[in-house]
Amino acid sequence: QVQLVESGGGLVQAGGSLRLSCAASGRTFSDYAMAWFRQAPGKTREFVATISWTGGKRNYADSVKGRFTISRDNAKNTVYLQMNNLKPEDTAVYYCAADLDYGLATEYDYWGQGTQVTVSS
């Protein structure tokens, strides 16, 4: 089992920045590809970004490219999502996820509980 705990959410004005963190425990962190997803009220969960086991590969949703950066620190068992130039449409609960496989079609086995990000206009 992998346990994931997100933190760093909050309320920010449009144009501002936040950095989300996701701390993992339970298994060898570097064995897992990591990802961030988000779910806005009344909408389905959507992919945001993913990073491979050592960080050499990354992919982003078109809606966040150039504004968000995913990174990981395997020594700290943590994955990050740096979010810059935030927009009201980025408001959502953000979830991190882990899986042994890396790819855009990955069905993630492990999920955190989520952290709320609210962007005011």
Side-chain angles (χ1 to χ4, degrees):
Q1 291 288 334
V2 176
Q3 292 78 43
L4 303 172
V5 179
E6 301 97 334
S7 61
L11 174 64
V12 64
Q13 289 188 333
S17 298
L18 281 176
R19 188 176 82 155
L20 305 183
S21 299
C22 173
S25 62
R27 294 285 176 89
T28 302
F29 182 64
S30 58
D31 285 346
Y32 290 82
M34 301 296 297
W36 287 95
F37 288 77
R38 66 186 182 186
Q39 188 167 17
K43 295 187 177 181
T44 58
R45 186 172 59 198
E46 65 173 359
F47 165 78
V48 174
T50 186
I51 188 166
S52 61
W53 310 271
T54 59
K57 298 179 181 179
R58 310 178 196 198
N59 272 292
Y60 297 91
D62 288 344
S63 59
V64 307
K65 279 181 182 176
R67 300 188 298 123
F68 291 11
T69 302
I70 189 171
S71 62
R72 65 189 296 161
D73 185 337
N74 286 348
K76 294 183 178 179
N77 293 350
T78 301
V79 63
Y80 304 97
L81 186 68
Q82 178 67 44
M83 305 185 295
N84 297 329
N85 190 22
L86 283 160
K87 303 176 181 180
E89 52 263 43
D90 294 318
T91 295
V93 177
Y94 283 71
Y95 300 89
C96 73
D99 197 89
L100 292 172
D101 292 331
Y102 171 79
L104 295 178
T106 298
E107 295 186 4
Y108 288 83
D109 285 335
Y110 303 103
W111 294 84
Q113 83 290 347
T115 186
Q116 176 71 47
V117 172
T118 303
V119 184
S120 63
S121 57

